Structure formats: structure tokens, C-alpha cells
Amino acid sequence: MTHCEIKFHNNSLGIYYAGQTLAGSAELRLEKSKKLKEFILTISGIAEISWTEKDGDGKESSYSGTEQLLEAVHVLIKPKGSESDTIEIPAGIHVYNFECALPSTLPTSFEGYHGHIRYTVSATIVRPWKFNQTSKAAFTVLQALDLNLGPELLRQPSKAEFSKRFCCWPCSSGPLHVTVRTPIAGYVPGQIIHVMVLLDNASSVTVNCLVTSLVRIVTYISSCGRTNVDTKSIASVENVVTDDRTDRFSQHMVVPSIAPNISCSVLNVSYELLVTIKVGCCRISPRLRIPLTIGTVPIVAAPTTVPTAEETANYGTFGAIFGPSAPVADSVDPPTYAEAISTTSVNVNDHANAIGVQSYVPRYPVYKFGAGELC
């Protein structure tokens, strides 16, 4: 029986920031000697998307797109003679180390409904006169997004307003006016979004409740330019309105473990705060939107020491690569890394002659804030 396992050195969860060095080993275990032509290690990163659509006549059209982000091939074992030669590997445990410098431009790992950005290490046994056998493991890449280095708008209050007069025959009513405010527009997982909603209802329409949601927007872009936009509510809070004339609501929502904003040629991820004003009389509920940015480094008031690789449990550190930007404040611990919510585990070792099963869910940095931190 053949067993092959890919391990990441000093990084059991396989989490790296773009620009770091991926290091690990391929461990080949053989119960008896085995003849093979090659043992090949491939480190790959790919963004790929696909979906189908039906027109009014029921005809299906397929759309797809691919961007190769990373590809490095290492031949671990190869006979010294001609291509037709084989080499016999004795029974036992054989360990082959590897390293690969990850480009600093790699986008963050993501698993979506119509596609993904996925990074894998695969070890392939090329056998004479037989199908190849492959073992594959995925690792998470994080593109550091420091909210202190982004546009100034991320660090300033945001506001959205809505005002409308409803037509109630034979005359129109007074206006319904709603204002939504947030203290900043850039957040990280683990941070609290504070939302203030001001309601001034001079209309004859009843306001029943307010629903505030953190919405993820994934845009899939095919090779021909066709797009498919998938929106999903990641977290939400609801307030019942007891006095629908004039009221003020303070809402609080924790950002869960989600990907930061992502941009590549075939897949973009963005976020918005969506406030829905649910009104009566079978009328369309007004909606207010505030664009938000989810990053990997939170907004801080003053610079301090950048956490080291050891402090971040060897899962990678933005400071080692990107220098002393405005880092995490003293009362905020280095992030932990949690599995992405609303993401189904996938078996990345899906080759027809795969060795074993490798389940994968990307992980993202989640912070724990002190009582005095900006959030």
C-alpha cells in the first residue's frame, strides 16, 4: 500500500501571507518496494470560475474564466537514464523537503459558489504502465490589507440617507427620512460594527422594523466579460420599531471570520452594510447601503510593535514582509486564524487516482479587541 502526506513546516494549519516562503515536505510511505518513473511535486495557485445560465427558451449557456496565479514544479525522484527507465524505491518512509517563495501579489484564498482562488501542493507518483497516483493538500494565502494604508475614507465616519414621500391617494404624505451612520468604513474580523440609525417618519406609512446586514458581494467574471454577482448576508441584527415617528437605534454587529476584500481578473469580493426599513401597507421597503472594506490589519490610533512570526503562532506575519505600517494596538492580541464561515469544506484531493482525502476550508485572521479599542 502507498501512502503520501504533505506537511507544512512549523505551520500546521498551512497559512501564509503573500511574499512569504512556503516550506514543507512530502512524506512517501511504502509497505513494499515500488518502481516508478518520477515523483513530482507541483505547487499551484489558480483562480477559476464557471456557471451556466438559461435564456427564456430554456437554452443553456456556459461561462468560465481562469487565471493561473502560481505554478512551480519540482522533480523529487527521477532515473538517471532515458525517459523510459524506472527507479525502484525501497519499502519504508521517504521524506522530501521543498521550499517556494510566494509572490507578494497573490490574492487571498477564497471558496465561492461559482468558483474559487485555491493554492495547493500536489505530489504525483508517475508509474510505468499504470495510472499516476496523486496526493494533494491546500494551503491558505492571505494578501495583507492594512486599513491604515488605504484611502482616508476608510478611517472616517460614513453616512447614508433616504428620504421619500409616499403617495396616498388623493394626496401625498409627509416624508420618511432615515439616516444611517458608522464611525469608520474599514473593519477586520472580530471587530464590532457600530451602526446608528435615525428615523424621522412624518409619513402615513407604518415602519415595522429595521434589519441591518453585513453583505458579501462576489463578482465572477468570465473570459468573455460576462459577470455573475452573488450576494450573501454574512451577519445581521434586527430592531422592532415601537415608535415609528421619531426614534434612534444603536446596533452592534461582530464581523465573523470572512475573507478580506479581494480583486483578481476573474473574481472580486467586496462588502457593504445594508439597512432595510420594513414598512407596512404592502409597500417596497427602502434600503440604504454603505460600502465597507474588510482588511487583515485593523485601524489604530498610534503605531506600536509589529507582532513577530512566533507571536502569531507561526501562521505568518504581515510585519515581516510589509514593514512597520500602522500595526495592531497594544490592547489587541495577535490574530487567531479561524475557518471561514458559510463555506463548505471541499476535498481538494479529487484526482481520479488520489491517495486519500484532503478536506479544506480557508482560514482568515480574527482579532480580539480590548475594551478601549476602536471598533
Side-chain angles (χ1 to χ4, degrees):
M1 182 177 180
T2 302
H3 178 78
C4 184
E5 184 178 4
I6 296 167
K7 298 179 179 179
F8 302 106
H9 291 168
N10 301 317
N11 195 332
S12 60
L13 296 178
I15 301 172
Y16 297 88
Y17 281 85
Q20 289 187 312
T21 297
L22 172 74
S25 61
E27 185 178 282
L28 184 62
R29 301 178 187 176
L30 303 176
E31 291 185 355
K32 59 182 181 180
S33 62
K34 190 179 190 72
K35 287 185 178 182
L36 53 85
K37 296 180 68 174
E38 287 181 320
F39 186 37
I40 303 173
L41 187 90
T42 304
I43 300 170
S44 175
I46 190 169
E48 53 186 356
I49 55 101
S50 66
W51 74 90
T52 58
E53 296 179 6
K54 285 186 178 181
D55 61 19
D57 297 327
K59 181 181 177 181
E60 283 194 352
S61 299
S62 298
Y63 301 91
S64 63
T66 303
E67 181 182 355
Q68 190 71 46
L69 304 168
L70 172 67
E71 187 168 31
V73 179
H74 304 270
V75 179
L76 303 176
I77 301 175
K78 186 177 182 179
K80 294 182 179 180
S82 66
E83 292 185 0
S84 61
D85 289 348
T86 61
I87 185 172
E88 186 167 343
I89 307 300
I93 299 176
H94 308 273
V95 179
Y96 305 90
N97 295 322
F98 62 85
E99 281 192 358
C100 178
L102 301 175
S104 60
T105 55
L106 292 179
T108 294
S109 300
F110 181 77
E111 297 287 332
Y113 187 71
H114 294 298
H116 55 254
I117 299 173
R118 187 181 298 167
Y119 301 90
T120 59
V121 179
S122 59
T124 302
I125 300 171
V126 181
R127 302 186 295 174
W129 309 107
K130 292 182 180 181
F131 291 111
N132 297 341
Q133 290 181 297
T134 299
S135 178
K136 185 184 292 186
F139 60 96
T140 297
V141 170
L142 299 170
Q143 176 60 244
L145 180 52
D146 190 337
L147 298 174
N148 301 279
L149 303 180
E152 184 63 31
L153 288 174
L154 298 180
R155 300 177 289 281
Q156 294 180 348
S158 292
K159 182 174 75 170
E161 292 183 291
F162 170 87
S163 186
K164 183 175 181 179
R165 293 178 181 271
F166 295 92
C167 181
C168 300
W169 189 88
C171 58
S172 65
S173 67
L176 168 64
H177 188 79
V178 183
T179 302
V180 178
R181 292 192 177 97
T182 60
I184 53 177
Y187 297 87
V188 295
Q191 198 166 6
I192 298 174
I193 302 175
H194 294 287
V195 185
M196 182 64 68
V197 181
L198 304 177
L199 173 68
D200 185 5
N201 186 13
S203 74
S204 58
V205 174
T206 301
V207 176
N208 297 317
C209 67
L210 308 175
V211 180
T212 300
S213 304
L214 174 61
V215 176
R216 183 184 68 199
I217 305 164
V218 184
T219 304
Y220 302 95
I221 308 163
S222 73
S223 56
C224 68
R226 182 83 168 183
T227 61
N228 187 321
V229 179
D230 178 45
T231 60
K232 183 177 180 63
S233 176
I234 299 299
S236 64
V237 292
E238 181 174 335
N239 286 104
V240 176
V241 178
T242 55
D243 182 358
D244 70 343
R245 297 296 97 187
T246 302
D247 212 339
R248 178 191 300 259
F249 301 89
S250 180
Q251 299 176 316
H252 312 283
M253 187 163 38
V254 178
V255 180
S257 179
I258 53 178
N261 282 50
I262 298 173
S263 179
C264 76
S265 65
V266 298
L267 191 157
N268 295 327
V269 178
S270 60
Y271 296 90
E272 68 179 12
L273 187 75
L274 173 64
V275 179
T276 304
I277 316 300
K278 293 193 174 183
V279 297
C281 301
C282 300
R283 298 183 181 273
I284 297 175
S285 298
R287 293 184 170 189
L288 294 86
R289 291 177 166 85
I290 294 179
L292 297 180
T293 295
I294 303 300
T296 61
V297 184
I299 296 170
V300 295
T304 182
T305 305
V306 177
T308 65
E310 289 75 21
E311 289 174 324
T312 55
N314 292 316
Y315 301 151
T317 169
F318 41 81
I321 308 162
F322 299 91
S325 60
V328 183
D330 287 332
S331 58
V332 180
D333 293 330
T336 57
Y337 293 82
E339 290 187 349
I341 68 161
S342 303
T343 300
T344 303
S345 175
V346 294
N347 174 29
V348 298
N349 200 21
D350 55 358
H351 188 270
N353 295 282
I355 303 173
V357 174
Q358 291 290 336
S359 297
Y360 170 71
V361 177
R363 291 175 177 263
Y364 303 118
V366 178
Y367 289 83
K368 184 177 181 180
F369 287 82
E373 283 305 310
L374 176 63
C375 56

